[in-house]
Amino acid sequence: MIDHGHHRIALLLDRMDLITAVQRRQGFFDAFGAAGIRTDLAAVVSELHDEHAARRAVLDLMASDDVPTAVFSAQNLITLGALHALRELGLERTVALVGFDDLPLADLIDPGVTVVAQNPQEIGRLAAERLFALLDGSTDSARRIIVPTTLIARGTGELTAPR
């Protein structure tokens, strides 16, 4: 979204006691810093537990004095709520949207929803591999494994910022 001219990007997060929400928030601000964008331009809304709360948050953001030109939702249910709000307001072709986690039918919506997709099969395979190793007596210490994500550009994230 930054590459498409967006600087006023809203970040929608789940519960901040979840490590994934904390890491996604940090990655969001790291991207702002790398692009030289002031982080105070971002509206951050957290503790969104379901799509209804996310919908309400986006409706409130779009009615605020400093309307974002783009939204990054850090969880798939939050993306659904954001999508509903943008469609309700007729802004689905104006306000850019990128969600974290893919959505069923995201490619069939017009415009398609751009997402950062995880690889749940690989995450599950690695977890099962580790579990079976522990059951077999492995005493290996815990280690961090990063499974890469993939940006799937479908249209909503590629909308250009208004001038």
Side-chain angles (χ1 to χ4, degrees):
M1 291 185 287
I2 291 170
D3 289 346
H4 294 284
H6 296 279
H7 291 192
R8 289 189 329 273
I9 303 172
L11 172 62
L12 306 179
L13 295 160
D14 199 342
R15 300 184 350 236
M16 292 310 295
D17 61 335
L18 299 172
I19 188 66
T20 53
V22 171
Q23 291 173 334
R24 291 170 193 173
R25 181 182 185 277
Q26 186 60 53
F28 178 85
F29 284 117
D30 288 349
F32 264 59
I37 301 170
R38 295 184 359 233
T39 57
D40 64 336
L41 294 175
V44 179
V45 182
S46 62
E47 304 306 317
L48 301 172
H49 305 293
D50 58 32
E51 70 180 86
H52 302 292
R55 176 187 160 275
R56 180 79 255 153
V58 172
L59 290 173
D60 290 346
L61 285 166
M62 294 304 146
S64 70
D65 291 335
D66 194 21
V67 176
T69 63
V71 174
F72 179 75
S73 60
Q75 190 250 39
N76 56 3
L77 291 177
I78 296 171
T79 303
L80 286 174
L83 185 59
H84 280 286
L86 293 175
R87 286 194 175 270
E88 186 176 323
L89 296 169
L91 298 174
E92 70 272 15
R93 295 183 186 282
T94 306
V95 176
L97 172 66
V98 173
F100 198 98
D101 282 341
D102 206 355
L103 300 168
L105 308 177
D107 58 334
L108 298 179
I109 298 169
D110 185 30
V113 181
T114 298
V115 298
V116 177
Q118 298 187 78
N119 185 339
Q121 292 81 9
E122 182 63 5
I123 293 169
R125 186 192 70 72
L126 290 167
E129 184 179 279
R130 178 70 177 140
L131 175 63
F132 288 129
L134 290 170
L135 291 171
D136 287 341
S138 172
T139 58
D140 291 346
S141 60
R143 66 181 197 264
R144 175 181 235 165
I145 300 172
I146 298 174
V147 177
T149 57
T150 304
L151 178 67
I152 303 175
R154 294 184 177 125
T156 58
E158 298 73 43
L159 297 172
T160 56
R163 295 194 179 240

